[in-house]
Amino acid sequence: MEQKQLDQLSTDLFRPAAGRGDLEQIGRPSLSYWKDAWLRLRKNKGAIFGLIVVIVLTALAIFAPMASKNDYHTQNLSLSKLPPKIPVLEKVSFLHVDGKDKDGFDVYKAKNIKENYWFGTDDLGRDQWVRVWQGTRISLLIAVAAALIDLGIGIIYGGVSGFYGGKVDNIMMRIIEILIGIPQLILVILFILIFKPGVSSIILAMIITGWTGMARIVRGQMLKMKEQEFVMASKTLGAANSRLIGKHLIPNILGPIIVTTMFTVPGAIFTEAFLSFIGLGIAPPQASLGSLVNDGFRFLQTYPYLLIIPSIIISLLILSFNLLGDGLRDALDPKMRK
Amino acid sequence: MLRYTLQRIVYMLITMFIIATLTFFLMKLLPGSPLKSQDKLTPEQITIINEKYGLNDPLPVQYVHYLGNLAKGDLGSSFQYDNRPVTELIGNRIGASAQLGFQALILGSIVGLILGIIAAIRHNTIFDYGATVLAVLGISIPSFVFAGFMQYILGVKLQLLPVALWEGFSYTIMPTIALSGFVIANISRFMRTELLEVMGSDYIMLAKAKGMSGTGIIIKHALRNALIPVITIIGPLAVNIMTGSLVIEQIFAIPGLGEQFVKSISMNDYTVIMGTTIFYSALFIFIIFVVDILYGVIDPRIRVAGGKK
């Protein structure tokens, strides 16, 4: 009886309840991992400062030497040891960029030089502005190249070791343990003694032991990840090893990899500078930040700007990479949030 | 524990052997020889010298000979410093370096611990942020830059401290501070994290619940447990101080091992380079080894032998 009545109800009598659609809508847009990370990174003032400084310094390193009409190697003794002079900032007295030397003597006026050398000139009359940015370029090039090659070797070695596990892993890890035991600096020094100091030999020397850190991290992550359900699911569906590694494992361990690379770069900048100090750095007339600081020490008492400016740039560069790395570590790993 | 110690000793020996071998063959690969630069030597003299140093023997013979000497603690003699044995040269120089290194390590540890403790106790206050900023700066500013600024401000401008050389305690102040910056930064950061973690653990809560005072808890329970992991980073930090001293000794003209090493590099004094390299490596490896073993002995929660990394 009731059934019959229900059947008689026509569909025209129904209409959708109001507001129903809103309830089913997802309140917030879904965020991908990277968007989420970026949102977190953006809140970290230190990291954003680091990011901006890294971008600005990199841009200056690339474009400043090109934009200047001076180059980094032409010597002109009549222009030697000019103090820095920057047009607008010269009025700010504590910056000492007014073209006067430490006794307050205006060298530019005395020598009747019209051009402004923003960072002054060195003892051979080379434009320090160009040399500093050229040096930054070399330092960055060495550091980034070393970090990227470390990354490549580390991913392959650590990936293979972690993915296959067992005997392969055991042997590969013993090799790493022994390599880690050798002090890196000693190897680097020996290496550069044999292959003459230069950009490529310095990069090569840094890689020799540098990749072990990355390999260990990749291996650790691999071991953790490959036991997870989504990998098992993919395996059950018949995915090949290459697909497992490329599509599932590597993308999931990108976070720690990026963070490690971020910390490798300042380390490499420091190592390069260190090599300059013990006389194994970039050979003149080429310059790196380290060699400029090292040269600056000779003029500590007389022309301190030759030491101070490159020192500030190298510190700022390392500081920014560290801040950015710290920020990325927090941003890419939600578990690490305070 | 014993098994672990033995295993570590075997690793240590293997590493030392590899370093010794590597140094030997890399040195043989080096272009040129220290004798070639002396044009005054006649070919006969060169033959005599080569004979004396065994440089005419086939490479494997030289290698075995070298390893044998090494085992006896003989690092050969310098080409440049009138044939003086390398061990003697190292012995003469090690004093200043050791003093500088220990001073930096002690100063860095004390200041770092204090900063870290303050930062953890006054968590999320201005003290904490101050200590964090200091730590980031300490890690980022290279010791040589720090040294340069100190030399300029304290030495040249204010003339408070001697700019360079090594003639008394006041000469050691600036290099010590410059070297300890990195140590301070690392220890304070590590101490802060460890202490915060310990403070959040159950046994601290229990002590609080039993009515123990705040300082009592920190001194009796928190500090003790937080200090243990800090020991692990002392090893790498000591290594960092040693490498840092290569540069710092150069900047402050300190007659230490690092300064001599740098000099021997520029003079192609191969035996000194080799000897010092091996000496440094042995020291590095030994320090890391001692710290690892100490850690296992001190921390009752960790028994390294069974555990996996």
Side-chain angles (χ1 to χ4, degrees), chain A residues 221-262:
Chain A
Q221 294 288 326
M222 269 301 197
L223 286 179
K224 211 168 78 186
M225 280 294 160
K226 74 172 184 185
E227 302 299 331
Q228 306 233 338
E229 281 82 359
F230 68 90
V231 179
M232 207 194 288
S234 184
K235 225 185 240 172
T236 322
L237 290 172
N241 278 351
S242 58
R243 188 182 160 81
L244 275 181
I245 295 176
K247 276 268 170 185
H248 295 296
L249 293 171
I250 298 281
N252 274 297
I253 60 175
L254 264 184
I257 292 177
I258 292 174
V259 173
T260 313
T261 309
M262 264 302 154

Side-chain angles (χ1 to χ4, degrees), chain A residues 113-174:
Chain A
I113 294 163
K114 292 281 177 304
E115 199 180 347
N116 289 327
Y117 290 94
W118 291 2
F119 286 177
T121 56
D122 68 0
D123 54 326
L124 296 171
R126 295 173 290 199
D127 186 352
Q128 188 75 359
W129 166 264
V130 180
R131 279 183 75 72
V132 164
W133 297 120
Q134 179 74 22
T136 312
R137 194 192 267 188
I138 300 279
S139 289
L140 273 175
L141 173 74
I142 290 176
V144 171
L148 287 183
I149 300 173
D150 278 355
L151 177 85
I153 303 177
I155 288 184
I156 295 171
Y157 195 98
V160 168
S161 180
F163 187 79
Y164 291 102
K167 226 176 222 164
V168 180
D169 180 43
N170 219 333
I171 294 170
M172 286 174 98
M173 280 304 117
R174 291 297 90 76

